[in-house]
Amino acid sequence: MAAAEILETSQGRRLAYHKSEGAGPTIVFLGGLKSDMEGTKAVHLDAWAQARGQAFLRFDYSGHGESSEAFTDGCIGDWHEDTVAAVTALTDGPLIVVGSSMGGWQALLLAKAMPERFAGMVTIAAAPDFTEDGYWASFSDEQKAALDSVGHVELPSDYMEPYIITKRMITDGRQRLVLRDPLNLPFPVRFLQGTADTAVSTETAVRLLNHATGPDMRLLMVKDADHRFSDGPCLSLIEQAVLEVMGKG
């Protein structure tokens, strides 16, 4: 496997990335919280795009994978800056943005920042506003107090070691919420969601669908699919969704 290349951002962070050249629009994959660009969906879509001769970009946010910084120093806003930096420096022309979990929130933030670049969007178990509606809303009084006194809380994860959720992640997340204000997505959008997802609820997917506005927006619920959404049938559904938003489905 080729070694990752490095992009140095104006914030002084070093982002590891893999870019495949090809025809446009460029597919950009945005991963989830504590995920990285070597995940099943990212690698699969990269190979699929290469087989099609289509440009593709995947990268690690700061504090993730091979990029610089510590995860516990990061927040939604930092990773949004990373996403804008990577897309601006490494891609040209129209984009098809595929966002998984927290990457779905990042895709929505990117669409607000540069809507003119979007040709389409696909999200997989999108988790917009999860720092507020998921973490903060579920914290006990003791956990909220710990954020102030200790600066973080630990949350168990079904998939890896506990998440360290910092006060900065919560407070910064409040500046990045997308479900409180108008959210216009003036391009084809496909939201994909598994009904057996224990990290992002089907109610979140429906709320996003109902809140956002746009001319071509659909939500596909997949019975018994979990948060990973990365078995063979789910990967095929992601491919199909990408083709649909490109007008080739």
Side-chain angles (χ1 to χ4, degrees):
M1 184 186 302
E5 297 184 79
I6 299 294
L7 171 69
E8 297 198 14
T9 74
S10 60
Q11 294 83 19
R13 300 191 282 265
R14 292 169 52 83
L15 306 182
Y17 71 91
H18 287 285
K19 181 183 178 185
S20 303
E21 301 294 343
T26 301
I27 301 172
V28 178
F29 186 85
L30 303 178
L33 189 71
K34 296 198 79 174
S35 184
D36 61 51
M37 63 176 171
E38 298 303 327
T40 301
K41 293 185 290 291
V43 171
H44 176 87
L45 281 179
D46 192 349
W48 178 75
Q50 287 188 50
R52 290 174 45 80
Q54 188 167 0
F56 188 94
L57 172 67
R58 54 189 167 104
F59 67 95
D60 288 332
Y61 311 111
S62 54
H64 291 68
E66 299 177 60
S67 292
S68 71
E69 316 307 320
F71 171 78
T72 49
D73 291 335
C75 61
I76 301 300
D78 289 351
W79 302 324
H80 173 58
E81 290 175 348
D82 295 343
T83 301
V84 170
V87 166
T88 300
L90 303 173
T91 70
D92 296 301
L95 305 173
I96 302 293
V97 179
V98 181
S100 175
S101 195
M102 189 268 284
W105 189 357
Q106 292 294 341
L108 297 168
L109 289 170
L110 189 65
K112 291 169 72 76
M114 50 177 68
E116 72 284 352
R117 294 290 306 277
F118 274 66
M121 178 190 294
V122 175
T123 69
I124 306 148
D129 300 7
F130 72 85
T131 54
E132 191 70 12
D133 299 332
Y135 291 159
W136 180 257
S138 66
F139 282 171
S140 65
D141 290 341
E142 290 78 11
Q143 287 174 311
K144 290 178 179 178
L147 276 184
D148 281 327
S149 62
V150 183
H152 69 268
V153 297
E154 290 190 13
L155 297 181
S157 167
D158 291 340
Y159 300 103
M160 57 190 79
E161 69 274 5
Y163 287 143
I164 305 298
I165 306 304
T166 63
K167 182 177 181 179
R168 180 168 182 251
M169 185 184 290
I170 297 296
T171 56
D172 173 83
R174 290 188 179 128
Q175 310 305 312
R176 310 288 174 173
L177 303 176
V178 295
L179 297 178
R180 273 74 172 167
D181 299 309
L183 179 62
N184 186 38
L185 305 175
F187 40 78
V189 180
R190 298 294 180 268
F191 302 126
L192 308 179
Q193 177 71 40
T195 64
D197 190 329
T198 58
V200 176
S201 68
T202 54
E203 288 80 8
T204 298
V206 172
R207 181 183 178 195
L208 174 57
L209 178 72
N210 287 334
H211 178 74
T213 57
D216 182 5
M217 191 177 302
R218 301 177 192 174
L219 167 62
L220 176 64
M221 294 277 196
V222 182
K223 186 170 177 61
D224 296 332
D226 65 14
H227 190 63
R228 291 185 179 91
F229 210 87
S230 58
D231 63 13
C234 286
L235 293 174
S236 294
L237 288 172
I238 298 169
E239 294 173 9
Q240 181 61 32
V242 171
L243 291 173
E244 284 186 16
V245 299
M246 288 195 298
K248 299 180 178 179

